[in-house]
Amino acid sequence: TWTLDLLAERMQRRRLPGMPALILSAVMLLALGGANIYLLVYSLQGSGTLTGNLISSGALNIGNSPGNLVIAGDLTQTATSSLNVELGGTNPGVAHARLQVTGSATLDGALNVSYIGPYVGSPGDFYDVITYASRIGDFATRTLPEVALTAAAA
């Protein structure tokens, strides 16, 4: 559970005991209506649980190369948003980033996927990078890394 306060256009961040850190990079968040959290600009990065509905117009960077982010609520990605995911293997939340949305995911904007370090995916590898109870829409653009081709697969 995170407590986010907006004071004079400056974001305050408080971590509750036992919770992993989320990094707010020049982010302006507004908590309106009690349950909604608005990511307006720049980025939110980290692992852990964010309780409430997230409406993102900025960059959502899952994990800390890699990690698992749970949104206990709904996610809305606007046309200006990006979901940035790093892959370092096929184990979700451990070797590659994973976003888990317990409610509805409304998708738009960009999905950007990149590799961590020397890792390169192989044909047939599967990456469970986002889960949700239901989905509306899809990403407008996708930037995906190249897959390694072996002599047997070519």
Side-chain angles (χ1 to χ4, degrees):
T1 303
W2 284 84
T3 302
L4 302 172
D5 298 316
L6 183 66
L7 299 173
E9 296 182 16
R10 194 181 76 197
M11 175 52 64
Q12 299 290 317
R13 177 181 70 157
R14 282 187 259 157
R15 191 175 87 162
L16 300 178
M19 294 301 297
L22 289 174
I23 299 168
L24 302 170
S25 302
V27 172
M28 181 168 37
L29 294 178
L30 302 174
L32 301 175
N36 291 336
I37 299 168
Y38 293 83
L39 174 60
L40 299 178
V41 292
Y42 298 104
S43 68
L44 170 66
Q45 175 179 336
S47 294
T49 300
L50 185 63
T51 301
N53 300 323
L54 178 63
I55 300 166
S56 176
S57 295
L60 187 54
N61 304 305
I62 307 304
N64 296 306
S65 296
N68 192 59
L69 178 63
V70 176
I71 297 174
D74 297 335
L75 169 68
T76 300
Q77 292 279 108
T78 68
T80 60
S81 67
S82 63
L83 175 60
N84 302 310
V85 176
E86 294 178 318
L87 306 177
T90 58
N91 190 358
V94 177
H96 72 76
R98 180 172 58 181
L99 174 63
Q100 295 175 280
V101 180
T102 64
S104 177
T106 301
L107 304 179
D108 200 352
L111 171 64
N112 301 312
V113 180
S114 61
Y115 292 127
I116 300 170
Y119 179 79
V120 177
S122 297
D125 285 350
F126 180 79
Y127 306 96
D128 190 14
V129 297
I130 181 170
T131 62
Y132 37 76
S134 64
R135 184 187 91 194
I136 299 168
D138 204 348
F139 295 103
T141 61
R142 297 170 190 235
T143 303
L144 305 173
E146 295 292 322
V147 174
L149 295 177
T150 62

